[in-house]
Amino acid sequence: MPVTALVSAKSSGVTTAALALALASQRASLLAECDPAGGTIRAGFMNSSVTAGYGLYHLAAAERIGTEALANAFASHLWPMDDAGHRKLLPGLTDPAQAASLGRTWPALSEVMHVLAADAGHDVFIDAGRLAFESGRLHAVLTPAPLIWQADLVLLTVRGTEQSLTLARHVVEPLRTELDERGCGADALGLLLIEDGPYRAHQVADALKAPVLAALPWDPETAAYLTSGGRPPRGYGRSPLLRHGRTAAEQLEAAASRRRIQQQYPARPANPQLAGVLQRLTETARGGARG
């Protein structure tokens, strides 16, 4: 299954889109909230049910002990988003000042996520937040650059509006260059279109010179629930956002599979130190929701 990183030029609904994809996936899924600007799901969709004792920040200390410690901490800090525990959240930072401590953690965390995707069959979605560049390169603190470089797919999330496309034009080429020179290839880059505005998929693809790999409908009621939590709206499970989210997740898996075949990527070498992650995740899934 793919590891997919979602990014934006400015607020384009990255977190809401990532939540919709993770919740709608027909496979087990993980949403890793890795925006250095801080996470919002803890206080929003999760209704403050996740304490500050869980989440991304705590993985930095574990990584300094070693890969196995990081793998175990990773499994311990996942929080179920459904009763069965099939859809999991790695909660984000509670303070943007914490981002500086994660610089050396990102590469090892990327490896753990790829093990989860390849060996445990999870769809992994990374909320990587807003792109920030410094001298033409992804900023070392303000972006989780290694997660973006190593993702199977990198989705630049855009709306079908003139403003969103104008902002995206300024980042699409630097991002493509970054993936080509430091990542797993420029062909990992695609667009996730939020269908808000007059521009359709083919127009957006032409404007940004990148393929639209998937689209999500403009569904304000469901989006508000995913953003702020509370009581789910009537018909939530059949809402346009979740129905199209299921389709989008399948489209992304197909795109990643085509890319692997075209590039003839070799299988990632197994890391025996990460084997314990799978067992811990199985135990978490059996346990269902925390509380």
Side-chain angles (χ1 to χ4, degrees), residues 59 62-63 66-78 108-109 112 115 273-278 280-281:
L59 302 188
E63 186 276 330
T67 303
E68 187 173 1
L70 172 63
N72 288 326
F74 172 81
S76 297
H77 283 271
L78 300 184
L109 180 58
V112 172
V115 169
Q273 289 182 302
L274 300 183
V277 170
L278 305 183
R280 292 292 300 276
L281 287 173

Side-chain angles (χ1 to χ4, degrees), residues 15 17 21-22 51 64 72 101 114 124 135 140 149 152 183 195 210 213-214 220 223 235 250 254 256 270 282 290:
T15 301
L21 290 168
T51 70
R64 283 161 173 74
N72 288 326
S101 68
H114 279 279
V124 177
S135 301
W149 294 333
D152 297 308
E195 295 174 326
L213 297 182
E250 293 302 316
T282 301
R290 299 177 189 248

Side-chain angles (χ1 to χ4, degrees), residues 18-245:
L19 254 176
L21 290 168
L23 292 170
S25 173
Q26 298 188 65
R27 293 173 290 273
S29 64
L30 166 71
L31 171 53
E33 198 178 16
C34 298
D35 184 348
T40 60
I41 297 174
R42 189 192 307 263
F45 178 71
M46 299 303 293
N47 294 304
S48 299
S49 63
V50 186
T51 70
Y54 288 91
L56 177 64
Y57 174 66
H58 299 278
L59 302 188
E63 186 276 330
R64 283 161 173 74
I65 298 173
T67 303
E68 187 173 1
L70 172 63
N72 288 326
F74 172 81
S76 297
H77 283 271
L78 300 184
W79 196 275
M81 295 191 291
D82 61 357
D83 291 338
H86 296 316
R87 293 165 176 80
K88 307 174 186 71
L89 171 70
L90 175 62
L93 301 178
T94 56
D95 183 349
Q98 298 168 338
S101 68
L102 290 165
R104 57 173 281 176
T105 307
W106 297 129
L109 180 58
S110 176
E111 185 177 2
V112 172
M113 291 181 185
H114 279 279
V115 169
L116 181 64
D119 293 353
H122 280 59
D123 280 337
V124 177
F125 300 99
I126 302 170
D127 175 0
R130 180 177 178 177
L131 292 169
F133 290 90
E134 183 178 43
S135 301
R137 296 294 189 186
L138 287 172
H139 197 284
V141 175
L142 300 181
T143 61
L147 300 185
I148 296 171
W149 294 333
Q150 296 304 317
D152 297 308
L153 296 173
V154 178
L155 298 182
L156 179 59
T157 306
V158 297
R159 298 179 186 271
T161 65
E162 187 62 44
Q163 180 189 42
S164 183
L165 295 183
T166 298
L167 292 169
R169 286 189 186 97
H170 294 294
V171 302
V172 67
E173 282 306 321
L175 180 56
R176 182 180 283 116
T177 300
E178 185 88 357
L179 292 173
D180 187 44
E181 296 180 357
R182 307 185 71 178
C184 60
D187 62 330
L189 178 61
L191 305 174
L192 174 63
L193 174 62
I194 308 301
E195 295 174 326
D196 172 28
Y199 293 103
R200 298 295 175 255
H202 70 280
Q203 296 169 307
V204 171
D206 287 345
L208 298 180
K209 304 296 188 290
V212 174
L213 297 182
L216 294 174
W218 179 239
D219 182 357
E221 188 175 20
T222 306
Y225 168 63
L226 297 183
T227 301
S228 303
R231 177 175 292 184
R234 186 175 182 180
Y236 162 69
R238 303 182 303 279
S239 64
L241 186 53
L242 290 191
R243 285 191 289 106
H244 285 79

